[in-house]
């Protein structure tokens, strides 16, 4: 599972006030197993069962502008509770660690932590790529002089509609 811990950073970004309403609005349309919610103060929590959903949520949160984003990857014991505020487990602890690390950086406040130490290197690689995307979002917003409102779209993997569709031979380009 993927747990995103989002925390407001007072005095940062386009809104020095409470970022949670804008965060929750930015996350609308995602399909998490539990609705994203405010947890305490300027903080919110999001649970995603698929990596694609977590990856789509992160740039949306960064576009709000005054938010540190922590992504924790790991187990969440089942059955799921009725609210994200009741979540526990290794993924939640990893998200807390990630958002604490993200809160200490000034450029792109984003961090990724894996609950399983064997996946720490992979989490660091994912963090580097996502920080680059976050930097591009911020640079585009700064260049245009207004907040980015277009969503970054993470392409979803295509699945063949039938077994025979994936077994068809590829055709060479006519240009060859």
């Amino acid at each position: 599972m993927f747990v995103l811990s989002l925390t407001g950073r007072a005095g940062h970004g386009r809104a020095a006030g409470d970022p949670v309403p804008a965060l929750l609005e930015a996350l609308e349309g995602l399909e998490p197993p539990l609705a994203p919610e405010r947890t305490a103060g300027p903080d919110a929590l999001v649970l995603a069962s698929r990596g694609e959903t977590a990856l789509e949520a992160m740039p949306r949160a960064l576009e709000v502008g005054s938010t540190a984003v922590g992504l924790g990857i790991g187990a969440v014991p089942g059955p799921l509770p009725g609210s994200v505020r009741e979540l526990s487990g290794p993924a939640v602890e990893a998200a807390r660690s990630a958002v604490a690390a993200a809160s200490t950086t000034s450029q792109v406040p984003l961090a990724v932590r894996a609950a399983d130490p064997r996946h720490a290197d992979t989490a660091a690689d994912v963090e580097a790529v996502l920080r680059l995307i976050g930097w591009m979002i911020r640079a585009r917003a700064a260049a245009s002089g207004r907040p980015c409102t277009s969503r970054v779209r993470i392409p979803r993997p295509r699945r063949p509609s039938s077994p025979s569709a994936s077994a068809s031979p590829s055709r060479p380009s006519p240009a060859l």
Side-chain angles (χ1 to χ4, degrees), residues 3 32-40 44-47 76-77 79-88 92 96:
V3 176
L34 297 171
E37 292 184 58
R38 175 189 296 271
T39 53
L45 202 61
V46 181
L47 174 66
V76 173
L80 291 179
S83 166
V84 292
R85 291 178 292 197
E86 300 170 30
L87 286 175
S88 64
V92 176
R96 284 186 186 131

Side-chain angles (χ1 to χ4, degrees), residues 8-12 15-17 66:
R9 300 173 57 183
H12 286 82
S66 59

Side-chain angles (χ1 to χ4, degrees), residues 14-144:
R14 69 176 183 206
D18 181 9
V20 176
L23 269 173
L24 296 177
E25 181 181 334
L27 298 173
E28 287 178 3
L30 295 178
E31 298 178 8
L34 297 171
E37 292 184 58
R38 175 189 296 271
T39 53
D43 301 340
L45 202 61
V46 181
L47 174 66
S49 57
R50 298 179 47 90
E52 292 92 345
T53 304
L55 289 175
E56 192 172 338
M58 294 181 83
R60 289 183 183 199
L62 288 173
E63 284 181 351
V64 171
S66 59
T67 306
V69 179
L71 173 64
I73 304 167
V76 173
L80 291 179
S83 166
V84 292
R85 291 178 292 197
E86 300 170 30
L87 286 175
S88 64
V92 176
E93 293 304 316
R96 284 186 186 131
S97 172
V99 80
S103 296
T104 64
T105 183
S106 63
Q107 289 296 316
V108 179
L110 180 147
V112 179
R113 299 292 182 267
D116 186 335
R118 295 175 295 178
H119 301 294
D121 288 342
T122 302
D125 291 344
V126 170
E127 179 178 309
V129 170
L130 291 174
R131 281 188 180 216
L132 176 60
I133 292 169
W135 178 83
M136 290 169 37
I137 289 169
R138 297 246 167 115
R140 185 173 58 187
S144 69

